[in-house]
Amino acid sequence: RPPEKTVCAKLSELCGGNADAQAVSRCEESMAKLKKAGGAEAMNKAAKCIAEVDTCPKAVGCVFGASMNAVGDFLKGMKKALEK
């Protein structure tokens, strides 16, 4: 299963309980955007992290951490571009 589906399934299990198909689909779209912005490594880190947690706040922390890494990488790239 792709990491973005793994992340969303675990988030649904820990945080949503009865998340409907539309909510899971929105989650998967968001995770695909994260993967595009931060790369496969960021998504894989989030999936690995989320597989090891057992509470909703910890799961959200995994996704937040992956998001921040993606934003940090983006900002580093912008800084390099502006320095030229």
Side-chain angles (χ1 to χ4, degrees), residues 14-15 53-62:
L14 294 176
C15 304
V53 300
D54 59 356
T55 66
C56 180
K58 289 178 184 176
V60 171
C62 291

Side-chain angles (χ1 to χ4, degrees), residues 13 15 20 28 30 32 42 54 66 81-82:
E13 175 189 325
C15 304
D20 62 12
E28 289 173 1
S30 296
D54 59 356
L82 293 173

Side-chain angles (χ1 to χ4, degrees), residues 7-22:
V7 168
C8 291
K10 186 74 172 210
L11 280 171
S12 176
E13 175 189 325
L14 294 176
C15 304
N18 296 325
D20 62 12
Q22 190 175 30

Side-chain angles (χ1 to χ4, degrees), residues 72-84:
D73 290 344
F74 172 77
L75 293 175
K76 286 178 192 173
M78 289 294 293
K79 182 180 176 192
K80 286 181 183 177
L82 293 173
E83 289 174 347
K84 293 181 180 182

Side-chain angles (χ1 to χ4, degrees), residues 4 31 51 63-64 72 76:
E4 50 271 29
M31 293 302 109
V63 174
F64 183 75
K76 286 178 192 173

